[in-house]
Amino acid sequence: GGFPDGPPASLVTPSSSYSDVSIQKSPSGSIYRFGARFNERRANDSTNGDRTELKHQTDYAPGTDVWVSYTFMVETQKPGEPDWTWTGIYGDSGCHLGQFHGGIGSPIFSIQLIDNDSIIVWTRPQAPNTPSTQQKPVTRWQKDDFVRGHEYDVVLHFKTAPSGVGSVAEMWLDSQKVIDIRDFAFGYSDSDHNNWQWGVYRRTNEIPLDVQFANMEVGTMDLSHRIN
């Protein structure tokens, strides 16, 4: 699996071949351009969303230190593109650009574009006696001066612990640490793995949305050297 010169990944969209979805690769293989297009989604997605994503092929056991590092850039807003207003309801609003999935249910961590000039980062804790599919997101950080066309460097470090003991969520954006949360309910108690997905997942719209990702690294090796 995977694409030449890129991270090992599989498509999250219903298509089975690289050419059937709106993903372009640079000649060097280091840059991928994801294009969200009207009605392009997984077979089991609701009809109110468009999705063009890749899923890293490695699933990580709960409690594993997982590092992710990449650069992303949201291209200039196109005429008619709506504001991706955040209502706090996953799948109902906003535009997801990177997600750490808890294996089942909705993501446990998401980076999301809202209102076209802001990004929000949230986690989804496991509440006691509540199924994973019914968890509510908790906002962890928001950047209101987000700039389209700017290349943002991201480093992430995750360690899940549904019990809240020993968990870690760290994020650096352009070398600045913006999230450092520890010992909080992170991950789902009824899941045996976590995985990373990236690309574009949004409310459905006829106006294309394009996002570029470069130099994606995902794994258990410490990637703190990419912070600076």
Side-chain angles (χ1 to χ4, degrees):
F3 304 128
D5 304 318
S10 57
L11 293 172
V12 183
T13 48
S15 304
S16 60
S17 68
Y18 180 78
S19 60
D20 287 343
V21 294
S22 303
I23 302 176
Q24 299 171 308
K25 181 171 68 71
S26 67
S28 68
S30 62
I31 301 175
Y32 290 83
R33 185 174 187 255
F34 292 75
R37 299 294 183 263
F38 184 57
N39 280 339
E40 184 174 272
R41 63 178 69 94
R42 295 185 304 186
N44 61 343
D45 280 338
S46 68
T47 57
N48 66 355
D50 302 327
R51 185 196 299 266
T52 301
E53 291 182 310
L54 294 178
K55 171 187 175 294
H56 194 265
Q57 287 186 341
T58 302
D59 291 331
Y60 298 97
T64 303
D65 282 286
V66 179
W67 288 80
V68 182
S69 183
Y70 61 97
T71 299
F72 82 98
M73 184 263 285
V74 180
E75 296 185 9
T76 304
Q77 185 175 6
K78 298 174 177 63
E81 184 185 332
D83 289 340
W84 303 105
T85 306
W86 168 244
T87 66
I89 303 175
Y90 174 79
D92 181 63
S93 60
C95 177
H96 299 263
L97 302 174
Q99 309 174 48
F100 195 51
H101 268 263
I104 56 177
S106 295
I108 57 176
F109 178 98
S110 180
I111 300 174
Q112 191 165 7
L113 173 68
I114 60 171
D115 301 330
N116 290 305
D117 57 2
S118 299
I119 53 174
I120 192 170
V121 178
W122 52 259
T123 64
R124 192 185 299 268
Q126 174 79 58
N129 303 315
T130 305
S132 302
T133 54
Q134 299 178 15
Q135 303 306 313
K136 303 300 181 183
V138 177
T139 301
R140 299 300 185 176
W141 179 73
Q142 183 167 335
K143 180 178 178 62
D144 292 323
D145 56 350
F146 178 78
V147 178
R148 288 195 179 210
H150 175 79
E151 296 180 356
Y152 288 97
D153 296 323
V154 178
V155 177
L156 303 168
H157 174 215
F158 304 119
K159 184 177 182 180
T160 61
S163 68
V165 179
S167 61
V168 177
E170 296 180 288
M171 175 176 174
W172 293 262
L173 186 76
D174 286 348
S175 302
Q176 299 298 312
K177 195 168 196 178
V178 297
I179 293 177
D180 188 351
I181 315 169
R182 298 168 188 271
D183 295 317
F184 69 108
F186 190 31
Y188 298 141
S189 59
D190 50 352
S191 175
D192 62 359
H193 69 277
N194 306 292
N195 59 68
W196 174 251
Q197 296 181 15
W198 71 101
V200 183
Y201 179 35
R202 65 171 188 176
R203 284 177 298 155
T204 189
N205 192 268
E206 294 182 359
I207 307 300
L209 175 66
D210 297 293
V211 182
Q212 297 182 25
F213 290 80
N215 304 315
M216 180 70 65
E217 284 189 81
V218 185
T220 57
M221 182 178 67
D222 189 324
L223 295 178
S224 58
H225 64 278
R226 290 191 58 179
I227 294 172
N228 298 312

